[in-house]
Amino acid sequence: MDGAGGPGEGPAQEALQSLSRRLQVQEKEMELVKAALAEALRLLRLQAPPTSLQDPGTPGPTRDSSPAAPPGLPPARSPSSVSRGTQTETEVETESSPGPPGLINGPAALHGGGEEPGGTQSEGGGSSSSGTGSPGPPGLLRLVQPPQRTDTPRRNSSSSSSPSERPRQKLSRKAASSANLLLRSGSTESRGGKDPLSSPGGPGSRRGNYNLEGISVKMFLRGRPITMYIPSGIRSLEELPSGPPPETLSLDWVYGYRGRDSRSNLFVLRSGEVVYFIACVVVLYRPGGGPGGPGGGGQRHYRGHTDCVRCLAVHPDGVRVASGQTAGVDKDGKPLQPVVHVWDSETLLKLQEIGLGAFERGVGALAFSVADLGAFLCVVDDSNEHMLSVWDCSRGTKLAEIKSTNDSVLAVGFNPRDSSCIVTSGKSHVHFWNWSGGAGVAGNGTLTRKQGVFGKYKKPKFIPCFVLLPDGDILTGDSEGNILTWGRSLSDSRTPGRGGAKETYGIVAQAHAHEGSIFALCLRRDGTVLSGGGRDRRLVQWGPGLVALQEVEIPEHFGAVRAIAEGLGSELLVGTTKNALLRGDLDQGFSPVIQGHTDELWGLCTHPFQNRFLTCGHDRQLCLWDGEGHALAWSIDLKETGLCADFHPSGAVVAVGLNTGRWLVLDTETREIVSDITDGNEQLSVVRYSPDGLYLAIGSHDNMIYIYSVSSDGAKSSRFGRCVGHSSFITHLDWSKDGNFIMSNSGDYEILYWDVAGGCKLLRNRYESRDREWATYTCVLGFHVYGVWPDGSDGTDINSLCRSHNERVVAVADDFCKVHLFQYPCARAKAPSLVYGGHGSHVTSVRFTHDDSHLVSLGGKDASIFQWRVLGPGGAGPAPATPSRTPSLSPASSLDV
């Protein structure tokens, strides 16, 4: 029977034959790979002093001016004195094809090694040479061609080689390519795809990969190679400095206060210091004679937290402080658990760590007991059930725990007369808790809840705050603007209660105090109560029976009242929802002592000759800060998001880039806009004046750099040209010291150089820019700073970089809430650094002040501004904390300070 094999026999047989053919091809390829690896190892063994590879009877041209190279490292001053490496393609075009200026394609003899680098090679390596009669300069590694290859026909010529020679040519090409892979640390081979800026040959020749030993280094970001050329003055990477820098940083001042989205955030200690928090730092501020403390004020900082602080509580002794942090993740993605720190405000030493691993998401509210002199601490976390727990402060052990409610809990406190009574309030509830300590045995305590009954009164949506009066009554402030007085009363059959309790809490009085929500209540030493309104921004003092005695309205630009604290005498401290801290009294009014931004920050620049700096961000505010007086000099509303800024060298004007492609020039004295120009419709990421102030460069997300000519006073600008060539958005740029050239980085990790004075031309031979000096160094990619990148980086781990004006150190802002300090130049892989924490979000920018006395860093979403004092090896100022080795963005050799 003809069909006995079945209808599928034919296709199955064909598939089997196809697999057999593929297997044979793979076996042949494996043979080629093995041969290539063997050839690569042989070539590696041939690496020897240059004189051993040159015909001793043929004297090569020499350059007396070339410095002697250290053993094993060829000099890199010109192509005539550097190792050409091994060309990976043995077939070369006999005709030269036109290429970019400065490149010579096709066969070209070396004229005694006296040519300039731009005339003989591009960034990819060098130009090919024809024939065997030109031995080349000393140290030139040449691939010895077979005799039959002296006449090199065209690549596509049918007579290029016989069939018997083709496998040998393939082996030779694969061997050379493998050798270059093994030697890639010193290679300048091109990327996998053809790059017109790195291909040494023209469009008519094959792309050759070269290994320029000793003149370049290479790093990889997301698998993409980035080649950087070593300056000619550096003969060996071993000559570069190693180890962390001798300079250190000490946190000098923190601008801002977290009032926008937090409560329980403002208290006054027994010493008179005001304690509050922002980001991961708890600030202890001593008010001086004027705003910002010029008359004796100052700041100290508790920096023991690893993530953002969310609440505070002060011990009855006025010295100890409890601070709770939110959950987070470290740079490796491992969770950072929420925890409570109990610490001494005088020594700033941590006394107790409470609840590590016991809380979820974060710590929402804290309170010390009062009747027993602060023996217990009550904590409410941010889990779905808002777990309520009571802890022994001295031992750090948990005595009792219970699920409180699924609704938000905004405040907690102990009854000042009875520590067994705890009150919580939040979304649509007031709860009264009784707890027994279980004879002090951990976990044996019990908690029972009694719910506050609103009865005939309207239940408010939120009850953000309360105070406990000495007589046992409780005052609550709610979202309806009412102050309710709660007292104990007997329940009846019509009053639902929890747990069948005979006694419950009910409202005994109500007073309408504010239009809109009441955010804060404060019991004063004289028995009166202060209330702070949200919508009406009024601060009202209430006497017995909730009779209004006095009031004052907070100016609108400071925001609503978030927190109130009583200072010394009649002085009051008020925190606002726009992250300002006000100081004053009800008679004289209030003035700001601490101010800050309210949304994510990105723009930062320092004044060219004063200790001032300017910031902008998503809150649309442009702020000029006085670094000496620690105060806000002025601020204006940009109406749009500000992302970048830079001072003119004269200091008279400042350029600000916005998220719409629009950029402004403002007079720093009058604050008037003197220029308003739009380039494209995408956000601007960098603006930078040339060091002589004649040009302004604007980097945009439309992949272009716009160049403007600027008048001597900086007030007038006219379009000079555009730098076009990047394939992704511009991220950073710097001017050369002579003001003629620009170095730029882009979102796809390109490093390009531009001749601005010559017409905004792209410099295709990047090798020629290796010795150029830069007025600033803020580009995150470049030979002088490639050591700041960690292994395995995805290219977005570093947001900002800045070299000091004395060119001794470089500061780095990373995506893991850290500021790093490296030595400059930082051109050794895995360079160690000093690491400084405190920010609670990605650090978006760092800049040194004009005299390098301070470093300013911006937190992203935490809206914080840190001013660090730069201390020399034996410099003045407070001694920095002893560095301890901890994991960070940098390798394990980094020091966390």
Side-chain angles (χ1 to χ4, degrees):
M1 298 176 60
D2 295 339
E9 183 178 11
Q13 185 68 21
E14 292 178 1
L16 183 61
Q17 293 176 357
S18 176
L19 289 175
S20 177
R21 288 193 297 269
R22 291 176 59 185
L23 180 60
Q24 293 176 3
V25 171
Q26 290 178 356
E27 289 176 350
K28 292 180 180 178
E29 290 178 351
M30 289 298 297
E31 293 287 341
L32 291 174
V33 170
K34 292 179 181 178
L37 289 176
E39 181 70 6
L41 293 175
R42 186 186 68 79
L43 291 174
L44 284 175
R45 288 193 294 269
L46 289 178
Q47 297 292 326
T51 55
S52 64
L53 298 180
Q54 187 175 359
D55 185 0
T58 307
T62 60
R63 291 189 64 173
D64 297 335
S65 59
S66 300
L73 183 63
R77 290 198 174 272
S78 71
S80 63
S81 60
V82 287
S83 169
R84 296 291 187 193
T86 304
Q87 189 174 355
T88 61
E89 302 289 351
T90 58
E91 297 176 290
V92 186
E93 291 290 333
T94 56
E95 296 180 6
S96 62
S97 54
L103 301 183
I104 296 180
N105 299 293
L110 293 176
H111 302 286
E115 297 176 357
E116 290 298 321
T120 58
Q121 75 174 45
S122 72
E123 60 172 332
S127 60
S128 58
S129 60
S130 61
T132 58
S134 178
L140 181 65
L141 299 183
R142 297 185 292 108
L143 180 63
V144 179
Q145 305 289 352
Q148 65 270 23
R149 298 294 294 167
T150 54
D151 182 19
T152 55
R154 291 183 179 274
R155 171 183 175 185
N156 296 327
S157 173
S158 60
S159 60
S160 61
S161 60
S162 64
S164 61
E165 292 294 328
R166 288 171 187 166
R168 184 178 301 173
Q169 295 169 9
K170 291 181 180 179
L171 279 174
S172 177
R173 287 195 295 268
K174 289 180 177 291
S177 179
S178 300
N180 277 336
L181 287 174
L182 293 173
L183 294 171
R184 69 182 182 183
S185 62
S187 172
T188 57
E189 61 192 17
S190 301
R191 296 193 288 269
K194 181 142 185 166
D195 186 348
L197 303 182
S198 60
S199 298
S205 63
R206 287 197 178 187
R207 177 172 53 86
N209 293 339
Y210 292 84
N211 169 39
L212 296 182
E213 189 70 30
I215 71 167
S216 69
V217 294
K218 181 175 290 187
M219 62 179 289
F220 291 81
L221 290 177
R222 288 188 175 177
R224 179 168 183 170
I226 302 171
T227 301
M228 294 156 286
Y229 293 99
I230 304 173
S232 59
I234 299 176
R235 299 174 55 188
S236 170
L237 296 182
E238 300 301 321
E239 298 176 355
L240 299 176
S242 62
E247 291 81 2
T248 57
L249 300 180
S250 175
L251 187 57
D252 181 40
W253 198 267
V254 177
Y255 300 84
Y257 152 83
R258 187 165 182 169
R260 179 187 54 175
D261 60 352
S262 65
R263 296 170 175 81
S264 301
N265 57 14
L266 182 63
F267 298 90
V268 178
L269 303 175
R270 185 180 66 183
S271 63
E273 290 176 301
V274 181
V275 58
Y276 59 94
F277 58 83
I278 182 171
C280 304
V281 177
V282 183
V283 181
L284 294 88
Y285 166 64
R286 180 180 297 278
Q299 284 186 355
R300 297 187 300 138
H301 310 96
Y302 176 74
R303 296 169 55 200
H305 287 281
T306 57
D307 214 295
C308 288
V309 182
R310 294 306 306 273
C311 54
L312 289 176
V314 176
H315 195 274
D317 62 11
V319 176
R320 282 176 281 179
V321 178
S323 50
Q325 76 173 48
T326 188
V329 293
D330 63 9
K331 73 181 186 70
D332 298 320
K334 297 179 181 179
L336 297 174
Q337 296 176 324
V339 68
V340 175
H341 287 188
V342 179
W343 46 279
D344 189 314
S345 64
E346 294 179 349
T347 63
L348 300 181
L349 297 177
K350 181 170 63 178
L351 305 176
Q352 193 71 254
E353 192 174 80
I354 292 177
L356 184 63
F359 309 128
E360 292 185 21
R361 296 183 183 171
V363 178
L366 290 170
F368 281 103
S369 60
V370 179
D372 47 24
L373 302 179
F376 306 108
L377 180 70
C378 183
V379 183
V380 181
D381 73 5
D382 285 333
S383 63
N384 290 336
E385 297 83 12
H386 295 94
M387 300 298 295
L388 173 70
S389 55
V390 180
W391 299 76
D392 186 319
C393 290
S394 60
R395 300 178 182 177
T397 56
K398 182 166 58 179
L399 303 178
E401 184 179 40
I402 194 173
K403 296 179 181 179
S404 64
T405 177
N406 289 332
D407 294 325
S408 300
V409 177
L410 304 178
V412 64
F414 281 90
N415 190 311
R417 300 191 305 174
D418 182 7
S419 294
S420 64
C421 179
I422 299 172
V423 182
T424 61
S425 70
K427 184 178 180 180
S428 301
H429 76 270
V430 178
H431 290 163
F432 305 91
W433 304 84
N434 286 315
W435 79 283
S436 59
V441 180
N444 283 358
T446 59
L447 282 158
T448 58
R449 182 181 69 185
K450 298 177 182 179
Q451 184 166 334
V453 179
F454 288 88
K456 63 180 181 180
Y457 299 96
K458 178 183 177 181
K459 179 184 277 190
K461 187 175 182 180
F462 287 98
I463 304 175
C465 55
F466 64 83
V467 292
L468 298 114
L469 302 179
D471 60 3
D473 287 345
I474 300 169
L475 300 181
T476 62
D478 60 39
S479 55
E480 301 296 323
N482 297 321
I483 297 178
L484 305 178
T485 304
W486 297 77
R488 297 189 179 188
S489 61
L490 294 177
S491 62
D492 55 31
S493 59
R494 294 172 298 176
T495 305
R498 295 291 180 92
K502 294 183 179 180
E503 190 178 43
T504 185
Y505 285 82
I507 301 172
V508 298
Q510 174 181 281
H512 187 69
H514 293 271
E515 296 297 328
S517 181
I518 299 175
F519 286 162
L521 291 173
C522 174
L523 179 64
R524 303 194 69 176
R525 289 185 290 267
D526 60 5
T528 60
V529 175
L530 293 170
S531 64
R535 185 184 306 169
D536 61 11
R537 306 185 314 280
R538 291 165 53 235
L539 187 65
V540 184
Q541 183 178 18
W542 303 90
L546 291 180
V547 176
L549 302 177
Q550 198 173 2
E551 69 175 65
V552 65
E553 183 176 335
I554 303 299
E556 182 178 2
H557 61 274
F558 292 130
V561 177
R562 175 63 77 189
I564 309 169
E566 189 175 21
L568 301 177
S570 62
E571 184 179 81
L572 297 174
L573 282 303
V574 177
T576 72
T577 56
K578 289 192 176 179
N579 294 353
L581 185 59
L582 312 180
R583 177 187 175 201
D585 56 41
L586 296 174
D587 296 323
Q588 303 296 326
F590 293 86
S591 60
V593 291
I594 298 292
Q595 291 177 267
H597 285 270
T598 59
D599 209 341
E600 189 170 354
L601 292 176
W602 281 96
L604 170 66
C605 62
T606 54
H607 197 279
F609 49 84
Q610 296 177 0
N611 284 327
R612 292 188 164 199
F613 58 92
L614 188 140
T615 58
C616 58
H618 288 203
D619 62 358
R620 305 182 177 186
Q621 296 295 312
L622 180 69
C623 299
L624 180 66
W625 304 89
D626 182 358
E628 294 182 353
H630 304 132
L632 178 66
W634 54 257
S635 68
I636 63 170
D637 188 358
L638 293 173
K639 308 298 183 182
E640 296 176 14
T641 298
L643 297 177
C644 51
D646 193 41
F647 279 99
H648 187 269
S650 67
V653 297
V654 62
V656 183
L658 308 179
N659 67 332
T660 58
R662 180 169 163 244
W663 56 275
L664 312 174
V665 178
L666 296 93
D667 188 300
T668 56
E669 294 296 329
T670 64
R671 310 174 212 173
E672 294 180 354
I673 297 177
V674 297
S675 183
D676 186 341
I677 301 176
T678 299
D679 284 307
N681 56 5
E682 298 194 39
Q683 71 182 49
L684 305 180
S685 51
V686 56
V687 293
R688 185 86 70 241
Y689 283 100
S690 61
D692 53 14
L694 299 180
Y695 295 106
L696 173 63
I698 301 162
S700 172
H701 270 229
D702 63 7
N703 305 355
M704 287 186 281
I705 302 174
Y706 299 91
I707 307 297
Y708 281 80
S709 297
V710 181
S711 61
S712 58
D713 59 357
K716 296 181 181 180
S717 305
S718 60
R719 174 76 73 86
F720 178 79
R722 295 185 306 171
C723 298
V724 181
H726 273 292
S727 55
S728 184
F729 58 91
I730 313 302
T731 58
H732 308 83
L733 65 83
D734 291 292
W735 286 90
S736 61
K737 289 186 177 180
D738 60 13
N740 294 328
F741 300 90
I742 283 179
M743 170 175 58
S744 58
N745 294 167
S746 61
D748 58 351
Y749 323 125
E750 284 183 322
I751 309 172
L752 297 186
Y753 300 90
W754 311 87
D755 181 359
V756 175
C760 300
K761 296 178 181 178
L762 173 63
L763 300 177
R764 296 186 177 274
N765 189 354
R766 293 189 297 140
Y767 178 77
E768 293 181 339
S769 298
R770 70 195 189 283
D771 290 331
R772 190 159 286 123
E773 295 185 347
W774 303 102
T776 59
Y777 213 118
T778 60
C779 286
V780 298
L781 296 173
F783 170 78
H784 295 83
V785 297
Y786 84 91
V788 306
W789 288 90
D791 286 339
S793 175
D794 67 353
T796 63
D797 294 335
I798 294 178
N799 298 314
S800 178
L801 177 149
C802 183
R803 182 192 67 191
S804 62
H805 296 87
N806 59 19
E807 302 186 12
R808 292 176 52 88
V809 294
V810 58
V812 170
D814 73 21
D815 239 8
F816 308 104
C817 315
K818 297 294 190 293
V819 173
H820 299 251
L821 202 63
F822 293 86
Q823 286 204 71
Y824 181 86
C826 185
R828 303 184 70 170
K830 300 182 180 181
S833 68
L834 298 177
V835 188
Y836 299 87
H839 285 289
S841 177
H842 52 289
V843 187
T844 56
S845 187
V846 286
R847 290 292 183 270
F848 286 95
T849 55
H850 73 101
D851 58 358
D852 292 331
S853 62
H854 292 84
L855 175 74
V856 181
S857 61
L858 300 185
K861 293 185 177 180
D862 64 22
S864 63
I865 305 171
F866 286 10
Q867 180 175 308
W868 307 83
R869 185 179 299 276
V870 181
L871 303 175
T882 302
S884 60
R885 297 181 182 271
T886 62
S888 64
L889 170 66
S890 293
S893 58
S894 297
L895 304 178
D896 198 352
V897 180

